[in-house]
Amino acid sequence: MEELEKLKKELKDLNAEYAKIKDVPAEKRGEFGRELNAKKMAILDKISKVEEVLMDTEVEAIDITAPCGVNEKMPDVYSVFDGSLHPLTSELNRVSEIYRAMGFDVVESRQLDDEYHMFDSLNFAKEHPARDGYDTFRTEEGFIPPAHTSTMQNRVLKMYRNKLLQGEDIAVVVPGRVYRNEDVDATHEHTFYQCEGVYVSKDCTMGNMLGILREFFETYYGQNLNIRTQPGYFPFTEPSLEFLIEKPKSLGGKKGDFLEMLGCGMIHPNVLKMAGIDPEVYHGFAWGGGIDRLVMLRYGLMDVRNFESGNLNFLKEF
Ligand code: DAH
């Protein structure tokens, strides 16, 4: 650092020398200037070399597999139980297990998707303003990091169509990571998690859907819950609902404190048609909601940003 300061001072002094050019006799000016320039180039060269070394030494190597914090001394031995799953990973596993126990298959979502699965296959009309509501990121090639797990609906419907035709119902959930170009604050993250559910059979009803959702939330929170629905709008369901639960007393809720947990509804006939399923014969319902909020309520967490922060103090709580 000291050496850098010294070189910068030399450079400053040298720059002051340039002012003297006008006092040098005309015939010597050229040589004088050339000498100054050569000195200046030499100093600049030295500065960039010193800066390079500094850059290399200032960057601390991080071993992302290390079983302790980067600034902590490595222990000589560590227990195989050191380290833990990220809370969202373990909670997503819990969520999947609850649905699996109810007979649902669990399939993976993706990290990069396309316009067709994000919008077209979900009955968003071209140029419809609802597309803007999703604040999607796009890659230069036009791919979309999914802004909701509903991007998987069309794939799930197509993948399970044959089973449906052979008389089995489609019952699938899709947990996954989603991305939105949002201003980040305590309740909004650009990267978060959702879980999608898709059910199709010949005779399923909205009542079945509400029963499944109630069962899920009551199992997840380990207690009976009051639920409520209110009208919503999604191009891929008709009718569409928002599903709310009353925040339990044990989690700091008061009577009448309802929280919106997810969007849901009967799958729009066009969505079934686009997956090659006859909406005259089959009916379905679907739902999708945030996992982060679900987990925050369970543990009384106030700031969603902790999940993506890599903050060890936060992670050690779990
Ligand atoms: N994908 C919607 C969102 O992120 C939520 C949603 C609403 C999913 C209705 C569904 C559904 O499957 O039927 O805002």
Side-chain angles (χ1 to χ4, degrees):
M1 216 56 192
E2 262 171 42
E3 195 178 353
L4 190 63
E5 291 307 312
K6 217 177 96 199
L7 287 168
K8 283 190 175 161
K9 166 117 190 4
E10 269 180 41
L11 186 65
K12 205 171 153 212
D13 294 345
L14 187 74
N15 282 339
E17 293 284 305
Y18 279 89
K20 294 183 187 155
I21 287 189
K22 61 181 187 318
D23 305 326
V24 176
E27 66 278 13
K28 297 220 169 140
R29 253 181 226 161
E31 197 186 330
F32 184 81
R34 268 193 298 283
E35 262 176 36
L36 282 186
N37 284 342
K39 278 189 199 162
K40 186 169 176 170
M41 290 309 291
I43 297 177
L44 287 175
D45 201 37
K46 279 190 201 160
I47 288 182
S48 62
K49 282 201 179 109
V50 172
E51 277 179 344
E52 248 172 54
V53 173
L54 277 177
M55 288 243 290
D56 282 349
T57 48
E58 270 174 12
V59 174
E60 193 174 355
I62 296 176
D63 176 0
I64 56 163
T65 65
C68 61
V70 285
N71 296 319
E72 288 168 26
K73 193 174 163 302
M74 277 284 273
D76 289 336
V77 291
Y78 49 90
S79 154
V80 287
F81 296 112
D82 275 351
S84 59
L85 291 179
H86 189 283
L88 285 177
T89 306
S90 47
E91 294 303 308
L92 268 177
N93 290 346
R94 258 172 59 80
V95 167
S96 302
E97 274 308 315
I98 295 172
Y99 282 120
R100 222 157 68 99
M102 286 197 258
F104 283 80
D105 273 3
V106 182
V107 307
E108 268 190 44
S109 168
R110 351 187 125 194
Q111 307 281 327
L112 204 55
D113 220 311
D114 53 34
E115 193 79 22
Y116 176 75
H117 291 94
M118 178 67 214
F119 294 120
D120 302 345
S121 69
L122 289 165
N123 195 41
F124 283 81
K126 289 249 183 279
E127 317 295 333
H128 194 281
R131 292 190 183 217
D132 300 337
Y134 284 84
D135 296 317
T136 46
F137 289 111
R138 269 163 219 274
T139 68
E140 283 171 5
E141 298 82 0
F143 290 112
I144 298 177
H148 54 178
T149 41
S150 305
T151 52
M152 292 301 292
Q153 280 199 20
N154 181 267
R155 291 192 185 92
V156 165
L157 293 173
K158 282 178 179 158
M159 189 170 130
Y160 285 83
R161 183 180 47 204
N162 279 343
K163 283 195 178 167
L164 188 69
L165 297 179
Q166 285 160 18
E168 272 185 57
D169 296 351
I170 300 180
V172 179
V173 293
V174 192
R177 188 190 266 164
V178 295
Y179 309 87
R180 288 189 197 180
N181 190 1
E182 298 234 35
D183 287 337
V184 172
D185 62 28
T187 54
H188 296 91
E189 251 295 3
H190 48 68
T191 301
F192 56 104
Y193 289 79
Q194 284 191 334
C195 185
E196 192 80 6
V198 180
Y199 194 96
V200 183
S201 74
K202 281 194 171 153
D203 52 10
C204 65
T205 67
M206 192 96 107
N208 300 143
M209 176 179 77
L210 297 180
I212 288 169
L213 291 176
R214 175 197 283 274
E215 177 71 18
F216 168 77
F217 282 101
E218 292 193 337
T219 309
Y220 183 78
Y221 289 117
Q223 56 190 292
N224 293 340
L225 293 170
N226 288 328
I227 62 168
R228 179 185 280 180
T229 58
Q230 59 195 29
Y233 170 73
F234 303 99
F236 36 100
T237 41
E238 182 56 38
S240 303
L241 296 179
E242 283 164 3
F243 183 91
L244 298 84
I245 62 169
E246 193 175 30
K247 188 171 173 184
K249 263 209 205 84
S250 63
L251 300 174
K254 297 190 294 290
K255 197 147 185 52
D257 228 355
F258 278 88
L259 302 171
E260 190 203 321
M261 299 310 284
L262 48 78
C264 56
M266 300 306 288
I267 299 178
H268 195 288
N270 288 348
V271 173
L272 292 175
K273 260 191 241 163
M274 271 183 275
I277 294 174
D278 183 353
E280 298 289 331
V281 181
Y282 296 98
H283 307 281
F285 48 81
W287 66 93
I291 295 296
D292 305 55
R293 191 167 349 142
L294 186 83
V295 175
M296 284 169 76
L297 179 60
R298 177 158 188 239
Y299 292 102
L301 308 176
M302 304 309 289
D303 194 333
V304 68
R305 289 169 293 195
N306 275 319
F307 286 134
E308 298 291 324
S309 69
N311 175 351
L312 283 176
N313 289 334
F314 169 76
L315 295 174
K316 278 179 182 161
E317 301 270 317
F318 294 91

